[in-house]
Amino acid sequence: MRYVPGLPGRRSIRLPGYDYTQPGAYFITICTHKRERLFGEVVDGTMWTTPYGDVVRDEWLCSGINRPGVLFHTFVVMPDHFHGIIIIDVDRAGSGDRRGTAQCRGTARRAPTASVATRDVDNARRSPAFGQPIAGSIPTIVGAFKSAATKRVNVLRGTPGARVWQRNYYESILPDVQTVRRVEAYIRGNPAQAASTAPTQTRRRASS
């Protein structure tokens, strides 16, 4: 993953001792296994998804439905990777405030908004169980998203048990609203920055 000027550094290894269950915003990048261009193609600055890319988009939109206090925010599906922002906001847990609509597996559902509440990373609580699965943590949330998308993609292509994603993922902690806005702009502009290529499968326009 190349360095992007102006964006916070992304790491493929979690920050030792950092509590990834605490309120804040997190920039996530997940690449496909062997960087296979599985999810679609970029044509003239627009991302057109394959049915596999549709699954990834759908799972992102669905993931926040039953996770009170977790907002699955701005995202983009790219041919061989995925960018998204996850916001943990415990003040919203149980509020039912999920304005906006999205198609979740063909059914209209409520989707998260852009409301952002971040906290300075210097005030991070430390997790005594770093490296172990922790319910509600970013690694657990990302793992569940990857797993759900993998199962559905493999059903579509008839490849049970095949890998869809790289084992790890990239993340960075977004310390303030200004950084979140900058990363949002980067995510939305990702297709326009990608080289135009000819589509190889039936094209569908991605949405975020």
Side-chain angles (χ1 to χ4, degrees), residues 49 53-62 75 77 205-207:
T49 55
D54 292 342
V55 165
V56 173
R57 178 194 61 221
D58 187 41
E59 283 299 333
W60 183 261
L61 294 173
C62 292
F75 72 96
V77 181
R205 187 170 183 173
S207 63

Side-chain angles (χ1 to χ4, degrees), residues 14-15 17-26 28 60 63 67-72 86-90 125-146 169 171:
R14 310 287 77 76
L15 184 64
Y18 186 84
D19 181 3
Y20 282 93
T21 65
Q22 74 168 342
Y26 303 85
I28 307 299
W60 183 261
S63 291
R67 285 187 177 274
V70 179
L71 305 181
F72 287 73
I86 296 174
I87 299 171
I88 297 179
D89 185 355
V90 294
R125 291 180 288 114
R126 301 295 173 178
S127 171
F130 177 73
Q132 300 298 318
I134 301 174
S137 68
I138 290 296
T140 301
I141 292 168
V142 172
F145 165 68
K146 290 172 66 177
Y169 66 93
E171 55 78 15

Side-chain angles (χ1 to χ4, degrees), residues 3-204:
Y3 171 71
V4 181
L7 292 183
R10 282 172 287 175
R11 304 164 185 253
S12 59
I13 303 298
R14 310 287 77 76
L15 184 64
Y18 186 84
D19 181 3
Y20 282 93
T21 65
Q22 74 168 342
Y26 303 85
F27 177 31
I28 307 299
T29 297
I30 317 172
C31 298
T32 58
H33 181 54
K34 296 184 177 180
R35 298 304 295 263
E36 181 181 0
R37 299 178 71 83
L38 185 63
F39 300 145
E41 299 290 349
V42 175
V43 181
D44 296 330
T46 298
M47 174 64 189
W48 296 87
T49 55
T50 64
Y52 311 136
D54 292 342
V55 165
V56 173
R57 178 194 61 221
D58 187 41
E59 283 299 333
W60 183 261
L61 294 173
C62 292
S63 291
I65 300 301
N66 295 315
R67 285 187 177 274
V70 179
L71 305 181
F72 287 73
H73 193 42
T74 305
F75 72 96
V76 65
V77 181
M78 295 295 288
D80 61 357
H81 65 279
F82 174 90
H83 292 306
I85 296 174
I86 296 174
I87 299 171
I88 297 179
D89 185 355
V90 294
D91 293 336
R92 293 167 63 91
S95 68
D97 183 6
R98 301 205 182 275
R99 296 181 295 270
T101 59
Q103 293 300 314
C104 180
R105 293 175 188 158
T107 304
R109 300 286 187 89
R110 306 297 289 175
T113 65
S115 177
V116 176
T118 59
R119 190 177 291 179
D120 193 310
V121 296
D122 290 338
N123 296 324
R125 291 180 288 114
R126 301 295 173 178
S127 171
F130 177 73
Q132 300 298 318
I134 301 174
S137 68
I138 290 296
T140 301
I141 292 168
V142 172
F145 165 68
K146 290 172 66 177
S147 177
T150 294
K151 288 178 181 178
R152 291 184 60 198
V153 166
N154 280 335
V155 167
L156 280 179
R157 63 181 181 174
T159 54
R163 293 183 64 178
V164 171
W165 306 102
Q166 288 184 1
R167 182 176 178 273
N168 215 329
Y169 66 93
Y170 299 82
E171 55 78 15
S172 63
I173 302 158
L174 308 183
D176 50 51
V177 173
Q178 289 74 25
T179 306
V180 171
R181 299 297 180 232
R182 189 164 71 249
V183 173
E184 286 176 337
Y186 169 73
I187 291 173
R188 292 189 179 110
N190 220 223
Q193 296 173 12
S196 296
T197 56
T200 57
Q201 302 188 48
T202 301
R203 302 184 302 177
R204 301 184 185 181

